[in-house]
Amino acid sequence: MSGLGRVVRSGVRRRRVQTVVVGLVTAAAVTATVLGGGLLVASQAPFDDAFAAQRGAHLTVRADSGAVTEPQLAASASAPGVVAAAGPYRVLVVAFTERGGMRTPPLTVVARADPGGPVDRIELAGGRWPAGPDEIVLSGGAVRVPPGSRLATPGGAEFTVVGTARSVSDTAGAWVLPSAVGVLDGPDTADGYQMLYRFTDARTPTEVGTGRDAVVATLPAGAVTGARSWLDVRQQAVEDAAVFVPFLVAFALLGIVMALLVVGTVVAGTVGVATRRIGILKALGCTPAGVVRAFVAQTLLPAAVGAVAGTVTGNLLALPVLAETEEIYGSANTTIAWWVTVLATGGVLAVVTLTAWAAALRAGRLRTVDAIAVGRASGPARGRWASRLAARLPVARPVGLGLARPFARPARTVAILLAVATGAAAMTFATGLAASLLRIQTALTQDVADVTVTGDPDAGPVADPAAVLAAIDAQPGTRARYGRTQAPGTVAGIADPVSVTTITGDAAWDGFEMVSGRWFAAPGEAVVGGPLLTATGARIGDTVTVRIEGTPVRLRIVGEVFESVMTVFTGTATPTGRNPSEYRVALAPDTEAGAYARALTGALAGRGLTARPSGTETDPLLLVVEGLTATLTLLLLAVAALGVLNMLVLDLRDRVHDLGVHKALGMTPAQTIAMVVASVAGVGLVGGLLGVPAGVAMHRLVVPTMAASGGLHLPEALLDVYGPFLLTALALGGPLTALLGALLPAGWAARTRTATALRSE
Amino acid sequence: MTDPVIDVRGVTRRYGEGPPALHDVSLTVRPGECVAVLGPSGSGKSTLLNLLAALDRPDAGTVTVAGTRLERLGEAASARFRRAHVGLVFQFFNLLDDLTVLDNVLLPAQLAGAPARASRAHAASLLDSLGMARHAQAYPGRLSGGERQRVAVARALINRPALLLADEPTGALDTASGEDVRRLLDELHRSGQTIVLVTHDLRLAEASAGRTIRLRDGRVEVRR
Ligand SMILES: Nc1ncnc2c1ncn2[C@@H]1O[C@H](COP(=O)(O)OP(=O)(O)O)[C@@H](O)[C@H]1O
Ligand SMILES: [Mg+2]
């Protein structure tokens, strides 16, 4: 066996191209897989760890204090499937006023004697737990008010903030002692009970649903006003990082497909070229299994080196992304879990081994007589019709010879085709992804304005909106403008605050994307973000009651706007009669924003308003995604080009002798290059034409999935990113990749010494 | 007196270490001559022929063929030289298996960019005169050795070369086919074609060649 190994190795030692290609393609596949898997795990792990440590609530139930008693709620802890329960706790929703008059959004305040217990052990991030009825602890995620600050209730009672805490189950915006309930309660507060449960089984929505039904069944009808699954909380917590996952999975899959394809063809090609050699070895008594083993070992060596390199790059590329998620969770998890690296590397190597083994089986099965006969008899008469046709084509003869070549080796041609198609698909997908992400970002920030005017919203009559808008209109260079102000509100049926944006003027131009319905037109109409529709179960055409600072406003939903949070946009004057806190202006083409802003600030002098060119800050997460996309695409394109290169090198090695004949008959180096290039140009074009639709389909599949994992419904406009020009350019990328891969071998072919080539065989 | 077609002076060709494959060889061939290069296997015959075809370059000495100095030609220039001035015939035919007989014959003309109509007519007349017209659309794999060598000769002549080089053209053929090719070369010689042929087939040398050269260990041994 070692003798055989040496013989086969020596036969392949000169195949440096194949070795490099196998190494690189494995590295690319491992990089993509480590990144995809690592980030997938990293996006879940911090939440899961914290949830386990805090014994998080699988189900958080809100109950109507008028419809159920405390003992009834306490008894629900013995419902089937419940392993632990906490509560009932009193809950009140209160909007506080800070010193200086700033209002907090309405906070869900839970009355709890202590932060521990069997469920939802609240973690103090700073300060201490309340000790008296006038103390309060705020949830770190809800509002940023430093400890020591004082908050006033609408009823006038004052609380001191004594600490910041965090519930991984997201059960409250603030906590007080039960003795504070009487102090908090007032005409403006909604109240009820909270019960927390842990179940024996709660891994899937169905299991949580079963638990919820069991709990609800023990309570009087209508008692439960809300029930939140930990899976939803988890979803929200991980969604920022989860946005990455579908796209990384797509790239990991592409990488693995590419590895499969390239390794398969490399080994098959090596076997093909070594056929005679194998025949001789077998004639000398080598076993088929021995031959297969030798070929697999030969592939695994460069693959292992590539895998190590891929592990390193994958982990390095993950660093910026993990740093980003770390910020979101406050966790210290900045590296990829070691077992993900091991699993990804092992998985890719296993795929490589299997592929190499399958391709090498042919060598083992080869009949010795046939193997030795190769090269003596003329090969199978494949693709002769193509050479006949090409001979009649009105093109230079070397080009014709090249064009007919793919038909002589159909299997190899299909492999080149797939390599190019995969590269083109990756390229198309990545381009579309980048374009969609940019559009999503613009639509979410709703900020395409060139100039923003801000000031004191309560400056009184001086900032009269009609006068401000008139002043903006009077400014030369104004194309469009509107004013907006935002206030927290509540909608019946959902505990979380809703952001209500009141718009003065026409705002539809400012990057808003409609998912369905239309923009509001008449008083009493509103458009809302998707999450609000999901949370309330409302549909377009329904009327909802929004309470803004206690006053109910009835609004008819006429459209869904693309939004990631619970929002309402309306032109209807809000009860507070607040003036716009901000005006946004779009400028006519050729108007310089800086000069315009200075002029407008001058025109608005005395109204307490300042105009500034709008800063365009790009989401760092977006930058990371785009950087990763570019990196992974380049990696896959390089692999595609290498795949083509490898296939051509094999093909040329087969044809050294024919090339020699051509050159003996007077084919110049330039003509040789033309012939080799022509032999892949057609295949590249077809590959591009196949790959582009595949990439578009992948984009159609992945981007909405990414959005859905962030809880977003994507409007069609954000997906429609491929214009005919872009598609044509992408389709041309196929032949370009093939040409890149062909140039090197074509040069080699052109330089082959004719006399040497003719001597071979 | 007309210029020689071949003028080789003091040519040495060495592959790696050891004695050179050719050592200080000089040779002149006039238009219309047929010269046979004889010698045992490994004596440097193919090496000499490769130099004449600009497939290889000498380490020392000069090679002038059809007025062109070959030892300094680049790859592209030597390819152009070959298709303009030299036709090559090999022992193992070296026909391209995936092209028909006609396409094989046409190839050098096409590479040279000759007008298609004229080349086709010329190829057809060559195949006809070599008795291969009915095989024009066949593939080389189906032909006998003698037939293949006829196709190879037709291909070598398509560009009307000043010089026909043949390396053991009968070496792979049975007696009858060998006789066939011998007659063919003789006819070509009579019609005025300049030929250098490498062989150890003495009958071929006697039948066609006006002159023979013997090589031994890379040196010209006897001149007659
Ligand atoms: N490309 C080459 N590399 C190394 N040695 C060669 C090469 N071509 C020929 N030779 C050597 O040069 C000598 C002459 O070879 P060749 O001209 O082919 O002989 P002939 O054609 O007379 O049989 C031989 O010893 C042969 O081994
Ligand atoms: Mg020889």
Side-chain angles (χ1 to χ4, degrees):
Chain A
M1 174 58 216
S2 86
L4 172 66
R6 194 174 316 126
V7 173
V8 175
R9 264 201 308 281
S10 78
V12 188
R13 183 164 304 142
R14 287 174 319 192
R15 277 181 237 301
R16 288 197 206 97
V17 178
Q18 277 76 34
T19 307
V20 169
V21 166
V22 167
L24 283 177
V25 75
T26 313
V30 169
T31 302
T33 316
V34 164
L35 259 181
L39 295 181
L40 178 64
V41 170
S43 65
Q44 318 282 330
F47 180 86
D48 291 349
D49 293 349
F51 194 83
Q54 296 186 14
R55 303 187 56 74
H58 288 140
L59 190 72
T60 302
V61 164
R62 279 284 284 279
D64 181 349
S65 53
V68 67
T69 65
E70 288 194 23
Q72 280 173 319
L73 282 169
S76 68
S78 53
V82 175
V83 285
Y89 305 127
R90 288 293 301 271
V91 180
L92 302 108
V93 179
V94 184
F96 294 91
T97 311
E98 284 178 62
R99 280 271 167 80
M102 283 279 289
R103 302 277 300 263
T104 68
L107 291 179
T108 303
V109 185
V110 170
R112 262 178 94 153
D114 77 295
V119 184
D120 190 27
R121 293 175 183 158
I122 292 150
E123 207 173 82
L124 274 167
R128 57 174 174 81
W129 195 251
D134 57 349
E135 293 181 344
I136 190 167
V137 163
L138 296 177
S139 163
V143 278
R144 287 182 203 274
V145 180
S149 310
R150 298 178 72 79
L151 296 176
T153 66
E158 285 228 324
F159 279 83
T160 307
V161 178
V162 295
T164 333
R166 194 179 139 76
S167 157
V168 72
S169 314
D170 195 22
T171 50
W175 290 272
V176 295
L177 293 180
S179 56
V181 169
V183 186
L184 272 176
D185 217 352
D188 236 12
T189 48
D191 82 319
Y193 287 112
Q194 183 181 72
M195 270 301 285
L196 310 173
Y197 305 90
R198 283 180 69 84
F199 299 125
T200 37
D201 300 306
R203 274 180 307 279
T204 65
T206 319
E207 288 176 353
V208 176
T210 308
R212 183 197 58 217
D213 292 347
V215 166
V216 169
T218 66
L219 297 172
V224 174
T225 54
R228 196 164 177 219
S229 162
W230 75 287
L231 292 173
D232 295 336
V233 178
R234 182 179 197 264
Q235 168 72 33
Q236 240 167 45
V238 304
E239 78 193 9
D240 261 315
V243 167
F244 282 109
V245 172
F247 118 90
L248 286 168
V249 167
F251 270 106
L253 283 181
L254 275 176
I256 291 175
V257 166
M258 206 72 145
L260 217 114
L261 208 75
V262 173
V263 170
T265 50
V266 163
V267 177
T270 315
V271 170
V273 174
T275 301
R276 249 175 83 72
R277 198 178 188 83
I278 294 165
I280 294 166
L281 288 176
K282 292 173 95 178
L284 298 178
C286 279
T287 65
V291 174
V292 173
R293 267 202 305 275
F295 272 96
V296 172
Q298 223 163 2
T299 313
L300 268 186
L301 197 74
V305 174
V308 171
T311 303
V312 174
T313 32
N315 276 283
L316 284 181
L317 284 177
L319 284 182
V321 188
L322 287 173
E324 200 58 46
T325 54
E326 185 219 287
E327 211 134 278
I328 295 158
Y329 299 114
S331 78
N333 202 352
T334 51
T335 52
I336 284 181
W338 64 267
W339 59 268
V340 174
T341 301
V342 170
L343 218 67
T345 311
V348 171
L349 279 181
V351 168
V352 168
T353 312
L354 271 177
T355 314
W357 176 76
L361 271 187
R362 211 180 102 227
R365 274 206 310 269
L366 216 57
R367 280 189 358 124
T368 312
V369 241
D370 294 345
I372 295 182
V374 163
R376 285 274 158 268
S378 58
R382 280 214 190 95
R384 281 182 172 165
W385 60 271
S387 355
R388 262 176 202 275
L389 196 69
R392 271 144 202 76
L393 284 182
V395 292
R397 191 63 181 124
V399 174
L401 288 170
L403 287 178
R405 183 64 196 164
F407 300 96
R409 301 299 302 256
R412 207 164 274 175
T413 302
V414 168
I416 295 185
L417 197 76
L418 288 179
V420 172
T422 318
M427 184 83 189
T428 306
F429 170 63
T431 316
L433 184 75
S436 278
L437 285 179
L438 205 67
R439 289 198 193 179
I440 289 173
Q441 162 90 354
T442 310
L444 283 183
T445 51
Q446 293 138 13
D447 196 359
V448 299
D450 301 301
V451 169
T452 309
V453 182
T454 50
D456 181 357
D458 297 315
V462 280
D464 168 43
V468 174
L469 290 177
I472 297 174
D473 285 340
Q475 199 62 33
T478 305
R479 186 167 58 81
R481 85 292 179 271
Y482 73 102
R484 60 191 277 164
T485 183
Q486 201 178 332
T490 52
V491 172
I494 41 177
D496 298 312
V498 171
S499 148
V500 183
T501 302
T502 310
I503 284 168
T504 315
D506 177 19
W509 54 268
D510 196 14
F512 290 95
E513 289 286 349
M514 298 304 290
V515 178
S516 53
R518 57 170 175 83
W519 192 245
F520 60 80
E525 290 185 344
V527 296
V528 302
L532 185 71
L533 291 179
T534 312
T536 56
R539 298 220 187 95
I540 291 170
D542 289 357
T543 300
V544 289
T545 302
V546 184
R547 294 172 76 90
I548 302 160
E549 303 188 347
T551 314
V553 185
R554 286 174 62 75
L555 293 169
R556 202 166 81 84
I557 302 172
V558 295
E560 179 187 345
V561 72
F562 181 60
E563 254 297 352
S564 61
V565 288
M566 290 205 274
T567 42
V568 176
F569 296 92
T570 181
T572 307
T574 46
T576 55
R578 273 205 202 175
N579 287 334
S581 59
E582 185 181 308
Y583 295 86
R584 293 186 182 174
V585 185
L587 298 181
D590 302 331
T591 310
E592 203 271 307
Y596 177 92
R598 277 191 298 280
L600 183 57
T601 303
L604 293 170
R607 296 184 195 275
L609 293 169
T610 315
R612 276 184 215 89
S614 304
T616 42
E617 55 181 279
T618 314
D619 186 349
L621 214 60
L622 189 72
L623 287 179
V624 170
V625 171
E626 289 189 338
L628 280 178
T629 307
T631 314
L632 291 172
T633 308
L634 280 180
L635 218 62
L636 287 181
L637 277 184
V639 167
L642 281 171
V644 173
L645 179 136
N646 160 59
M647 251 82 76
L648 279 182
V649 167
L650 290 177
D651 198 42
L652 290 177
R653 192 156 283 146
D654 275 6
R655 302 169 61 211
V656 176
H657 186 250
D658 277 7
L659 279 174
V661 176
H662 282 117
K663 297 174 100 183
L665 298 176
M667 186 177 267
T668 61
Q671 286 176 317
T672 312
I673 290 177
M675 178 174 75
V676 174
V677 165
S679 74
V680 292
V683 179
L685 193 65
V686 176
L689 289 179
L690 290 178
V692 168
V696 172
M698 201 146 64
H699 174 262
R700 284 265 154 187
L701 190 76
V702 171
V703 175
T705 312
M706 282 172 80
S709 68
L712 300 172
H713 309 282
L714 277 189
E716 180 59 29
L718 300 181
L719 284 177
D720 195 13
V721 291
Y722 297 106
F725 180 76
L726 180 61
L727 285 178
T728 314
L730 287 168
L732 288 179
L736 207 73
T737 312
L739 289 192
L740 275 180
L743 277 183
L744 212 55
W748 292 335
R751 280 199 306 275
T752 316
R753 297 285 312 277
T754 315
T756 318
L758 285 175
R759 276 177 69 87
S760 77
E761 199 68 357
Chain B
M1 204 177 170
T2 52
D3 285 339
V5 176
I6 298 175
D7 189 8
V8 174
R9 294 195 185 172
V11 156
T12 297
R13 177 72 174 100
R14 191 187 296 273
Y15 299 106
E17 299 298 305
L22 283 181
H23 185 81
D24 194 18
V25 170
S26 296
L27 167 71
T28 314
V29 177
R30 308 210 160 273
E33 261 195 296
C34 178
V35 176
V37 181
L38 296 171
S41 182
S43 56
K45 305 185 294 292
S46 296
T47 303
L48 176 62
L49 215 64
N50 286 343
L51 291 176
L52 295 177
L55 289 173
D56 198 1
R57 289 196 227 169
D59 295 311
T62 61
V63 181
T64 311
V65 175
T68 312
R69 286 284 289 271
L70 302 189
E71 67 277 4
R72 283 192 294 270
L73 287 187
E75 276 281 322
S78 57
R80 278 192 292 271
F81 158 79
R82 264 195 302 282
R83 64 194 188 199
H85 302 295
V86 175
L88 278 166
V89 176
F90 306 91
Q91 178 177 7
F92 290 104
F93 327 121
N94 279 337
L95 297 176
L96 297 168
D97 278 340
D98 55 351
L99 296 184
T100 61
V101 163
L102 181 61
D103 284 335
N104 262 287
V105 174
L106 278 172
L107 189 54
Q110 291 167 327
L111 289 175
R117 267 171 175 283
S119 321
R120 286 192 155 267
H122 188 205
S125 80
L126 277 171
L127 285 173
D128 195 35
S129 68
L130 296 175
M132 293 297 295
R134 65 205 166 89
H135 294 298
Q137 293 308 324
Y139 286 93
R142 295 236 215 91
L143 304 179
S144 74
E147 288 170 328
R148 289 188 211 192
Q149 202 57 299
R150 283 166 174 269
V151 176
V153 170
R155 187 176 66 178
L157 295 175
I158 183 80
N159 284 343
R160 298 188 171 84
L163 175 62
L164 182 66
L165 297 175
D167 193 348
E168 314 223 12
T170 58
L173 299 178
D174 58 56
T175 328
S177 305
E179 188 57 40
D180 221 29
V181 170
R182 233 170 274 141
R183 258 203 306 275
L184 177 57
L185 290 174
D186 189 36
E187 280 165 26
L188 284 172
H189 173 43
R190 282 168 204 283
S191 72
Q193 176 72 51
T194 313
I195 303 175
V196 172
L197 59 91
V198 161
T199 186
H200 39 228
D201 177 353
L202 275 174
R203 266 189 296 164
L204 173 60
E206 277 155 18
S208 351
R211 182 149 70 97
T212 45
I213 289 173
R214 273 180 192 280
L215 285 182
R216 180 176 292 276
D217 298 334
R219 291 166 198 268
V220 179
E221 196 183 52
V222 176
R223 218 180 275 240
R224 200 174 59 190

